[in-house]
Amino acid sequence: MSSLRTLDLNVVADLVDFIRGGGYVLDFSDSTFSEFFANELDVDIDDARYADRGGSKGKRLRRFLELVDDGTALKTLQALWEIRQDFLLRTGRADPVINAEARYLAILNRLGGSPAAASPQEQPKAAFDFAKMEMLKQELLDLTALAPQRRGYAFETYLQKLFTAYNLKPREPFRNTGEQIDGSFVMGEQTYLLEAKWQQLPTGQADLLIFEGKLMSKAAWARGLFVSYNGFTPEGLHAFGSGKRTICMSGEDMWEMLNRRLPFDHVIDRKQRRAAETGIPFVGVRDLF
């Protein structure tokens, strides 16, 4: 049986019943609902075992998700999400479900669909604890009251705590010959080196080039995350150019992520994918989700 909780199944219901109401699944008719399960999952959703708690499409989906393994539940929800997004795009409707994508991504994490999962054989990781996310929001706010020198070091420690919350195996700041690295973390099969700055002015080209230079001296699979609380200058980003190993994150990104309860690992995955597709090192969270 899947590791989905009642709370998760209630979220799924919210995500799929907004078109036709409770008991329905998106805009499926009885026949297209059966076809979806047959074609996408090779499953007979009309089997009596999925209707032992009610025969509506919504109740059969809920029972199916309860009975199957995490991998099958994950595949099902990903397919349903694609159909949901296609419906919203085709109809031009705004998403009526508050914070829909963040809630969906949290369920994926619970099922082992986090970008940080190293292999399908690992035990599924728990969805992120939203109470802990609220604590992280408060701790980030508390950093603003610190003196500038203390704040820089505290910011590095804060980021380590954030990485730990997502099981990203963080390493504390370390020094190689002639250079300082503010830390690292592992996501999937990629190692990310960290540069963290909390300074009065936005980060410009010079600091970005220095960090990129550090990356270029490392293994080819090493990536970089440059977190600048006060963001980056447009001129610096333009001069820095495209096609680099570094992706960038601002303080505004962090607040947007925490306020919307977007899982950090999915944010980094989305930033990395956009950078790979466009070559642009910094795209804000508001434009990605």
Side-chain angles (χ1 to χ4, degrees), residues 146-157 196-199:
L146 297 178
Q149 186 172 6
R150 285 188 58 202
R151 190 168 54 210
Y153 291 112
F155 190 41
E156 292 176 11
T157 301
K197 285 193 179 295
W198 191 323
Q199 55 193 12

Side-chain angles (χ1 to χ4, degrees), residues 124-264:
K125 295 177 175 61
F128 189 65
D129 183 346
F130 287 145
K132 188 177 292 185
M133 185 171 281
E134 291 301 315
M135 291 177 61
L136 286 167
K137 281 177 59 177
Q138 184 58 51
E139 289 182 24
L140 184 59
L141 181 62
D142 292 343
L143 291 181
T144 63
L146 297 178
Q149 186 172 6
R150 285 188 58 202
R151 190 168 54 210
Y153 291 112
F155 190 41
E156 292 176 11
T157 301
Y158 173 85
L159 291 172
Q160 297 295 317
K161 186 178 295 187
L162 179 65
F163 303 153
T164 298
Y166 282 92
N167 303 300
L168 299 182
K169 305 173 185 176
R171 182 179 176 187
E172 294 180 352
F174 58 92
R175 181 176 293 278
N176 294 326
T177 302
E179 67 178 15
Q180 170 75 26
I181 303 294
D182 291 339
S184 68
F185 62 92
V186 177
M187 202 175 91
E189 297 181 355
Q190 290 187 317
T191 298
Y192 284 79
L193 302 185
L194 172 69
E195 182 77 9
K197 285 193 179 295
W198 191 323
Q199 55 193 12
Q200 184 176 1
L201 298 175
T203 294
Q205 178 197 16
D207 287 329
L208 288 166
L209 287 175
I210 290 171
F211 182 54
E212 183 72 15
K214 294 178 184 179
L215 288 176
M216 295 301 291
S217 68
K218 305 298 185 294
W221 58 84
R223 312 294 303 182
L225 175 65
F226 198 124
V227 184
S228 173
Y229 186 81
N230 283 315
F232 305 85
T233 65
E235 299 81 7
L237 287 171
H238 178 75
F240 182 55
S242 61
K244 302 296 195 296
R245 294 195 201 176
T246 300
I247 58 173
C248 301
M249 188 172 194
S250 66
E252 183 179 1
D253 280 342
M254 297 190 69
W255 283 110
E256 188 76 10
M257 175 185 74
L258 293 168
N259 283 329
R260 293 174 58 184
R261 295 183 171 182
L262 295 167
F264 172 79

Side-chain angles (χ1 to χ4, degrees), residues 27 44 63 70 81 113 115-116 140 186 213 217 224 239 249 274:
D27 58 347
D44 179 11
R63 187 60 173 148
D70 282 353
W81 181 260
L140 184 59
V186 177
S217 68
M249 188 172 194
R274 183 64 63 88

